[in-house]
Amino acid sequence: MKNSKIQKLAKALRSFGPQPARAILAGEAIIKLDNKDLTFTSKKELLECIRSHSDQSVLMNNLKKWIITQLNTVSEKDLFSILNLLANYSLKEVFNALNYFLISFPNTSKAYYNDGSATGLDLLTTELADVRKDDKVLDPSSGINGAWLELLKNNPNQNMTVQELNEIDAEFAYLNTKILGATNCIVYQGDTLSDPKYTQNGNLQLFDKIVTFPPINARISKDAIIENRFNRFRYGDITYTKGESAFISNAISSLNQTGKAVIVVSDGPLFQGGKVASFRKFLVDHDLIETVIALPSSLLSYSIIPINILIINKNKTDSKGQIQFINANQNEWYQTDKHGKRILSTLGIQKIVELYHSRASVEGKSAIFANTDYKGTLGIKQYILPSEVQLDNSTYHINRSALQNLNTVQLQELVNIKRGYNVTRRNEDKKGRYLTAKVTDITTDHHINDSNLTRINIKTNAESYLIENNDILISTRGTIGKVAFVNNIRQCTVPNANLAILRVKSSKLNTVNMIWLMLYLASPLGQFMIQQVATGTAISTISTKDLGKIPIPVLPLEAQNKAVQQFQTVQAKLNAEKAALQKKIEANQEELYSSMNVTKVLRKENTEN
């Protein structure tokens, strides 16, 4: 919306509200499509002109009915005022303004809303798809606009098929194709997963390219999975709660033998366990995954979650048996608007596309791995080490050589790991036998603040969940990586499920000092290692299995003990100095307040014992 003329129009339309504004622009577009230069003398005459538009398709007729219903809510005076302004706008300008309102005020659920044209995502995915002029292209979850529309802007004759679930969005998508003069584009309305419309002679049509942004984290119809029309869900078990896997499976089934799909997904399909993990492994084992591109958070206007581009290729001529990983979360490749939303820069799009086509390995940005090196996840952190990391508002540069040469053992070799108990409000009881510790009960000096722990009762055997002195607690969900050393438990305390208990193995008592281990986990390197195994989209989580894989430096117990003793001795001295300094600060304040006569009015209660 940098065009001042379009900005002026947008400002004038905002007073009408989102839906009437869309209807006004869509109505004007329909009138201009008939190449009629008309001056209307009444609203009735205007509505009749829209109703009699030459395109009598089902989608257009339904859209015309919606437009007329919306325009009937606008006064004739206000309507003619904005139409007189619109008379000075070309069809292309009306198209741009219409799509601005479609993006700014989405009609459908946010989970189904794609604003890729505003963030550069549409342009990036079309570049990655390598669409040729003679390619047959599909978007099975198109939305009002998207990469498919970007392709039609460049080539209105492109053989394009799109399907959209929401009825009004499908109608607007159809209008967009007509405004662009698309001559070879078909728009369908309906649920792609249960009823794909792109069929011919009873068979599913197959395409050269698929570029799509399926709904994120959407649940899908159980019936669609059970019926499994055209056997599209043959690549592994699909669950109705993990809809993105179903859309990926549908895309693969809709490709021809040399086809390629560029699919925008959340982190979920890349790391989730259960049926999603088995589905993912099938794709790796059958060499269908060509590239995984990790994008940063805040690329979507409605969510801060990070997203990814998954490229499926049935014709991996130069990359057989390999998967390319690209970490596109590079600050210099994005711009940030005043609302904090990221926008792909021209440079960012260029760099990502160059890495994809060159298949170059670039430190911190891209790497190639054999399918046999698959680590059970497609999360980028498991394959590309960043060149720097942000921890506690500080930037740390990573010495890769030093990290690779570090002598370590896995955490699970030293300790037993158990997740805490799933405490709910039902467990709370003021007379409860147990106390429960939460993440918020961990103090900044890595202890448990037991002054205000909640009392609970647990019907099942709680003994295995009780924490003991010399344990370590670590947060594994939400605010991950908070650690505490347990050294003064006076009552039976159970950590909740967002915490994990680390307890030294009996065989390792002479190998590890648990205070040293806790301090290491709290250190920048320990926190970096914890981040590397964390997964999640909206909420970061760490499984006990992944937690056990965290590398711990090998150091003799004597050296650990010495380091802990030295640290605690100095820390105790510093704490005493800090307390003394704090008293001086307070005394200085009291002197000031006394000079103001504050202390005569307000007497501070002495809380010291």
Side-chain angles (χ1 to χ4, degrees), residues 10 76 134 146 218 247 260 296 381 397 407 434 450 487 499 501 507 523 565 582 594 597-598 603:
E76 190 168 80
D134 59 346
F247 278 98
K260 178 166 73 171
K381 290 188 294 184
H397 297 278
N407 185 18
Y434 306 103
D450 59 358
N487 67 339
L499 292 167
I501 305 169
S507 60
S523 73
Q565 183 178 8
Q582 183 61 36
S594 178
N597 290 323
V598 171
R603 183 172 61 86

Side-chain angles (χ1 to χ4, degrees), residues 8 26 69 90 93 107 113 198-199 204 231 246 255 317 341 357 372 394 420 439 473 478 503 513 551 583 596 609:
K8 179 182 178 182
T69 299
S90 67
E93 290 171 328
N107 180 69
Y113 171 47
Y198 45 93
T199 62
L204 198 68
N231 193 27
L255 289 173
T317 53
K341 183 175 70 174
H357 286 301
T372 52
S394 297
V439 176
L473 295 183
R503 183 168 299 159
N513 180 318
K583 283 187 177 182
M596 299 174 176
N609 294 327

Side-chain angles (χ1 to χ4, degrees), residues 235 252 269-270 276-290 292 310 312 316 320-323 325 369-378 383:
Y235 304 105
I252 297 171
L270 305 187
V276 177
S278 63
F279 169 72
R280 186 170 58 244
K281 188 173 187 304
F282 183 97
L283 302 186
V284 174
D285 290 344
H286 288 75
D287 202 20
L288 290 168
I289 300 174
E290 181 178 50
V292 179
L310 183 65
I312 302 290
K316 294 170 66 174
K320 288 186 181 297
Q322 297 177 332
I323 300 176
F325 293 90
F369 281 81
N371 290 350
T372 52
D373 293 328
Y374 174 61
K375 301 178 181 180
T377 175
L378 293 174
Y383 301 93

Side-chain angles (χ1 to χ4, degrees), residues 246-314:
F247 278 98
I248 295 170
S249 187
N250 174 74
I252 297 171
S253 300
S254 303
L255 289 173
N256 60 31
Q257 291 303 307
T258 59
K260 178 166 73 171
V262 179
I263 310 169
V264 179
V265 298
S266 68
D267 281 351
L270 305 187
F271 71 80
Q272 286 167 342
K275 291 182 178 180
V276 177
S278 63
F279 169 72
R280 186 170 58 244
K281 188 173 187 304
F282 183 97
L283 302 186
V284 174
D285 290 344
H286 288 75
D287 202 20
L288 290 168
I289 300 174
E290 181 178 50
T291 303
V292 179
I293 302 173
L295 300 167
S297 59
S298 300
L299 260 182
L300 307 177
S301 62
Y302 55 84
S303 176
I304 63 170
I305 66 170
I307 54 177
N308 309 271
I309 297 175
L310 183 65
I311 301 181
I312 302 290
N313 197 337
K314 287 189 172 182

Side-chain angles (χ1 to χ4, degrees), residues 578-595:
K578 181 179 178 182
L581 182 61
Q582 183 61 36
K583 283 187 177 182
K584 291 181 179 180
I585 291 172
E586 291 174 358
N588 188 43
Q589 287 177 334
E590 287 297 314
E591 187 174 340
L592 171 66
Y593 298 156
S594 178
S595 70

Side-chain angles (χ1 to χ4, degrees), residues 383-420:
Y383 301 93
I384 299 180
L385 193 68
S387 55
E388 60 183 38
V389 63
Q390 295 286 331
L391 295 167
D392 294 330
N393 299 319
S394 297
T395 301
Y396 292 87
H397 297 278
I398 300 170
N399 185 325
R400 294 168 182 272
S401 176
L403 181 61
Q404 291 170 355
N405 293 328
L406 198 62
N407 185 18
T408 63
V409 296
Q410 290 190 343
L411 180 62
Q412 61 193 3
E413 296 180 34
L414 304 174
V415 300
N416 293 312
I417 304 172
K418 184 176 180 62
R419 190 175 295 280

Side-chain angles (χ1 to χ4, degrees), residues 437-438 441-443 446-450 453 467 473 484-486:
K438 305 181 292 294
D441 295 318
I442 296 179
T443 65
H446 310 300
H447 290 90
I448 296 295
N449 180 7
D450 59 358
L453 298 183
I467 55 177
L473 295 183
F485 178 71
V486 181

